[in-house]
Amino acid sequence: MIKKEISIGLVIALLGNSIGFIVCVFIFSALSNQGLSFTETVKASIANDSLGSLIVLGAIPNLIIFFLFLRKNNIYRARGVLLATLIAAVFIAISKFA
């Protein structure tokens, strides 16, 4: 039961992080003066070594999800959100130092 709740929180947070990342990329592509597409913006962020920044900005919805789970007393789902955020942090650290 506990593993199921943590898994639900993990999946919801990963979806939230993915949606947040996509929204951030679309916002940055719209705000760029060059009129880059979605894939061009991602490629440019990889070339400029700023992909981690986009992932961090994409993790902002996890904060909202985390506090919603805490407010509804879904502590194990909140732990899943925390786990997803840690996974994103490890991914960013690996991409920065590799």
Side-chain angles (χ1 to χ4, degrees):
M1 182 70 175
I2 293 173
K3 289 182 182 180
K4 179 182 174 186
E5 292 295 314
I6 291 174
S7 298
I8 291 171
L10 178 70
V11 169
I12 291 173
L14 289 175
L15 286 173
N17 200 352
S18 300
I19 292 170
F21 174 77
I22 291 169
V23 168
C24 285
V25 171
F26 276 125
I27 289 172
F28 284 123
S29 65
L31 293 177
S32 70
N33 294 333
Q34 299 139 353
L36 300 175
S37 69
F38 180 83
T39 55
E40 292 171 340
T41 304
V42 172
K43 288 179 184 177
S45 67
I46 291 171
N48 294 334
D49 200 30
S50 62
L51 183 65
S53 301
L54 287 176
I55 295 172
V56 168
L57 288 173
I60 291 174
N62 284 353
L63 183 67
I64 298 166
I65 295 168
F66 178 76
F67 283 114
L68 284 176
F69 282 148
L70 284 181
R71 186 170 199 124
K72 291 184 177 184
N73 206 18
N74 291 329
I75 296 171
Y76 293 112
R77 289 186 183 186
R79 286 183 186 180
V81 173
L82 187 60
L83 181 63
T85 306
L86 289 175
I87 290 170
V90 168
F91 178 76
I92 293 167
I94 289 172
S95 68
K96 287 284 185 184
F97 297 117

